[in-house]
Amino acid sequence: MSKILIVGGVAGGASAAARLRRLDEHAEIILFERGAFISFANCGLPYYIGGEITKKSALTLQTPRSFHGRFHVDVRVFSEVTAIDREAKTVTVKNHETGETYLESYDKLILSPGAEPIRPNIAGVDSDKVFTLRNIPDMLKIKDYIDGKCPKDAAVIGGGYIGMEMAENLRAAGLRVTLIERLDQVIAPLDFDMACDVRRYMKSKGVSLILRNGIESITDHGDALAITLQEGDIQADMLIMAIGVRPESDLARVAGLAVNQRGSIVVNDQMQTSDPDIFAVGDAVEVTEFVSGQKGSIPLAGPANKQGRIAADVICGLDSRYTGTQGSAILKVFDMTVATTGVNEKTAKGLGLDYEKSFTYVASHASYYPGATNMSIKTVFETGTGKILGAQIVGFDGVDKRCDVFATAIRAGMTASDLTELELCYAPPYSSAKDPVNMAGFVIENVLTGKVKLFHWHDVEHLPRDGSVTLLDTRTPTEYAKGTIDGFVNIPLDTLRGRLDELDQTRPIYAMCQVGLRGYIAARILSQNGFDAYNLSGGYRLYESVVG
């Protein structure tokens, strides 16, 4: 009978334990968790603070007792593994309830320590008004502070997933919120042009945003915090530190297991560390990015659960392998949904990939059926083949299922032509006969087959205004009057065919409309009449969102 120890009882660790028992009814399985809770829904913690989730018990998917009852796993909470002796194949365990320290032997060991919030080494960070959010005790500490102290103003440092979720839920709890981010955008996995819609929406929901700025120090004046930034300062009654996480890999590093420069535990595709009897899973491990093949750290719950299952499979003799993480993630921002999968343009450019991008702005379902909302889709694709490399979607209803289709397409190595052929479910309340995913495929296919040439929002400022090119706004006079791009003249699409003689056929024409569709039709008319025409991808709406 084999003896397997698991360090860490959330996500990867709990998944590994359950899978091990399903595969081996007779193995001795001991799961160590230094805190009080196992298998809790840490992704749901912000929503308890904001009141969307009202029962703490809803976040504990399993208790030590229920986990033992179902899987016959020896769950030891308040038990911290402090050292690994690889030669003796033992771990040192400290029981934080009794103070006892003891040794436990193993045949196989699985490490699932997770990642811990980064607390910068700055003055005042240890104030009892400064919080991080990783587990249920952290959640309760924040919730109790809000309920007991009734703060009015909160600052959130960091515009990543946790920072954004906390900003939303602190607003839901009735606080005024200021979010500070060092970058020039929120949500780093998004490209800047896609993050602009999110920024604007956050402001509309009453969140004050301070970008391109970072925290320098914190001073606790008793009744409030004075927060000194790189530029300026603000005051708040409480502060949430959400500037990122780092792998909690000290246990592995001290034991002599290989870790990379960032501290992530190095594993092979079967989740084995540099010691073949020790496995590691979850946020603490180095992963291979599925699209680029680069090594990285992508702390997400889905991959952690899959890795835990794979480690259990391998221990039980199955040939199970992890094929990489593509970073599929989704975020609720008030009523808005933000989703991403695969590589973004920043990554594609940094890796020197041969790529192009397209923007589509389409309705979530048939526009004549009530409740349709538009979503903005950015697709990154390989120029030679049309292979889909990444997608980002910002919108409301239906964003989740479209990004899931893109994620599936990327995993399957599909191209834009494949997207056009997908037969997706259609009824007016749910989609259009040509689904937004199909539309993205059509746009890319048109580019690849030479039916349209694109230019982008960042190209506009470089277009000459000396008459050597024609800049054409194909929207209606009413739209044009409400705002246009400097140098663009207005010829509405529906009058274009009758006014071709007003255009110089020797000059390239750069056409635009509101979202890209009319500009595409104009470019097709022009190109078939001998003009060299280009269409502004994403249209004036995207340009104004980014530049305006």
Side-chain angles (χ1 to χ4, degrees), residues 85-97:
D85 186 332
R86 293 166 52 196
E87 185 174 346
K89 297 187 75 170
T90 63
V91 299
T92 302
V93 185
K94 182 172 183 179
N95 186 318
H96 288 291
E97 287 187 301

Side-chain angles (χ1 to χ4, degrees), residues 2 22 28 32 56 86 102 196 291 311 331 335 347:
S2 61
R22 290 194 296 269
E28 181 181 2
F32 299 100
K56 182 182 70 174
R86 293 166 52 196
Y102 62 93
C196 287
V291 175
L331 174 68
D335 296 325
T347 301

Side-chain angles (χ1 to χ4, degrees), residues 379-382 386-391 406 409-410 414-416 419 444:
T379 312
V380 180
F381 59 95
E382 198 170 61
K387 182 180 178 180
I388 307 302
L389 303 176
F406 276 109
I410 291 169
M414 296 172 69
T415 67
L419 296 188
I444 297 170

